[in-house]
Amino acid sequence: MLARIYRPAKNAMQSGKGNTKDWLLEFEPASARRADPLMGWTVTGDMDGQVRLSFDTKDEAVAYAAAHGIAFQVSDPKPARKIIKAYADNFAFGRKQPWTH
């Protein structure tokens, strides 16, 4: 049973960075999902897939996994690129593309 420790990325539908500060520990699925023959829903017999633990720091998550004998894999987040733009840049003299309607 392998666990992933990661910090979730920002949701594409939000401009803020809410719920991206905590580190999560999630278990990898032990078996593939399959379709239920009666209803057609996707089902699995793996209950560890429902476990999602939240920690304040990466060290706390690693310590928890080590203390409970859980094999884990840590994924560090990529640094966010900030592109600083100003409205006045649309009318700058050294603009590479001409501004037209």
Side-chain angles (χ1 to χ4, degrees):
M1 151 169 89
L2 180 69
R4 289 187 315 140
I5 297 173
Y6 68 98
R7 195 151 90 191
K10 177 178 79 75
N11 186 348
M13 298 301 294
Q14 63 187 154
S15 61
K17 295 190 188 263
N19 298 331
T20 61
K21 302 293 184 202
D22 292 341
W23 287 82
L24 296 178
L25 184 140
E26 287 184 344
F27 292 100
E28 292 287 332
S31 61
R33 294 182 177 263
R34 63 187 188 286
D36 183 46
L38 179 63
M39 297 296 290
W41 295 339
T42 306
V43 296
T44 182
D46 184 23
M47 291 298 139
D48 290 333
Q50 298 177 8
V51 176
R52 188 175 191 177
L53 300 174
S54 177
F55 298 93
D56 290 332
T57 63
K58 176 173 69 170
D59 296 332
E60 289 179 6
V62 169
Y64 177 86
H68 289 84
I70 300 170
F72 62 90
Q73 176 183 11
V74 177
S75 299
D76 290 324
K78 295 179 182 175
R81 295 185 313 157
K82 292 188 178 183
I83 301 172
I84 300 173
K85 296 182 179 179
Y87 180 70
D89 292 341
N90 292 332
F91 309 101
F93 181 75
R95 185 180 166 97
K96 297 195 188 302
Q97 297 173 347
W99 185 84
T100 61
H101 290 284

